[in-house]
């Protein structure tokens, strides 16, 4: 009936079976009492509404992520993000002609040449495991070696002495050499001008008629393209993004609220950077060294893509 349909529509699909049962019970009560049908319908409707309020959250009462983040944030961080326009009600970039400028950067990586060093506790465990497995082995009779002629080998051919992991660049502490820290990954960073605060990756503003990946490749080429013979760019999607809000003077010049820098990874295959085509200074740094040489906000944006 229409009355049954109206009541069933008050609850969601999880309560439809229960609603039909209540409607059937109310119909039986209507037949028995007759005149009390309206009162029973009202009681039934109130009961269903109370159940809905218990299980279903109204749309206007749903918590937003902004409120969720603000409730678990200190007042100092909240005030900082409000100055940046994160928690403001309106988009600050919409008040500028160009809004956000889009920039692309290349994170040039020199992969580790040697096997990374194992932790000290793991080396001790492997040594203990080796001695434990071989402590019960019995030495072979020397007559077997003499019969096969194994003892006649020269002494220098029996023993092998590996080269040291430390290179000349490590001894001279040359941070510009790509041949330092052979057992770790190195990242190419540079300073565009003298007096610039912190190092950065090669980056440039992306033009309207080019892709962000092509812009990132061009940024690396402009900085050190003459020294790099072969570079392998990995993937077509950025792995990190850095948002920078301009100062008032720069906002008036660029007519933009700030810039979003998207980072693309690349590996050096052949070549060695000895001098820059554009820029003041450059270095090959490990991830731990990048934490101290890059600015705090800049490193926080890219640290997850640095291995």
């Amino acid at each position: 009936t229409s009355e049954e349909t109206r009541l069933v529509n008050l609850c969601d699909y999880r309560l439809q079976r229960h609603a039909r049962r209540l409607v059937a019970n109310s119909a039986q009560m209507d037949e028995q009492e007759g005149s009390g049908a309206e009162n029973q319908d009202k009681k039934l409707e109130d009961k269903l509404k109370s159940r809905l309020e218990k299980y279903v959250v109204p749309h206007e009462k749903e918590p937003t992520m902004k409120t969720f983040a603000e409730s678990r944030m200190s007042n100092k961080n909240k005030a900082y993000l409000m100055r940046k326009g994160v928690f403001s009600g309106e988009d600050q970039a919409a008040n500028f002609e160009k809004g956000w400028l889009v920039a692309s950067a290349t994170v040039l990586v020199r992969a580790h040449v040697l096997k990374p060093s194992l932790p000290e506790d793991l080396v001790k465990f492997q040594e203990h495991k080796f001695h434990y497995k071989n402590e019960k082995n019995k030495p072979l009779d020397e007559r077997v070696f003499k019969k096969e002629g194994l003892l006649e080998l020269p002494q220098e051919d029996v023993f092998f002495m590996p080269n040291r992991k430390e290179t000349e660049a490590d001894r001279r502490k040359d941070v510009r050499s790509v041949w330092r820290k052979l057992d770790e990954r190195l990242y190419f960073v540079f300073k565009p001008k003298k007096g610039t605060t912190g190092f950065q990756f090669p980056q440039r503003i992306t033009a309207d008629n080019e892709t962000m990946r092509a812009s990132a490749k061009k940024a690396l080429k402009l900085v050190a393209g003459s020294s790099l013979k072969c570079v392998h760019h990995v993937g077509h999607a950025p792995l990190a993004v850095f948002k920078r809000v301009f100062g008032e003077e720069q906002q008036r010049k660029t007519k933009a609220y700030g810039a979003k820098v998207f980072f693309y990874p690349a590996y050096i295959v052949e070549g060695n950077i000895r001098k820059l085509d554009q820029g003041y200074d450059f270095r090959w740094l490990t991830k731990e060294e990048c934490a101290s040489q890059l600015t705090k906000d800049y490193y926080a944006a890219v640290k997850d893509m640095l291995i």
Side-chain angles (χ1 to χ4, degrees), residues 136-142 145:
K136 296 182 179 180
N137 293 344
K138 296 182 179 180
L140 295 176
D141 194 348
E142 292 185 0
F145 290 93

Side-chain angles (χ1 to χ4, degrees), residues 70-89:
E70 287 180 351
S71 61
R72 287 157 177 80
M73 189 179 302
S74 63
N75 294 332
K76 183 178 179 180
N77 293 336
K78 191 186 299 184
Y80 171 77
L81 293 176
M82 289 182 69
R83 290 197 303 269
K84 294 292 184 179
V86 177
F87 289 137
S88 59

Side-chain angles (χ1 to χ4, degrees), residues 19-37:
R20 292 194 186 96
R21 189 182 300 114
L22 293 176
V23 170
N25 294 337
S26 65
Q28 294 178 0
M29 294 176 63
D30 291 345
E31 294 178 357
Q32 295 176 0
E33 299 182 2
S35 60

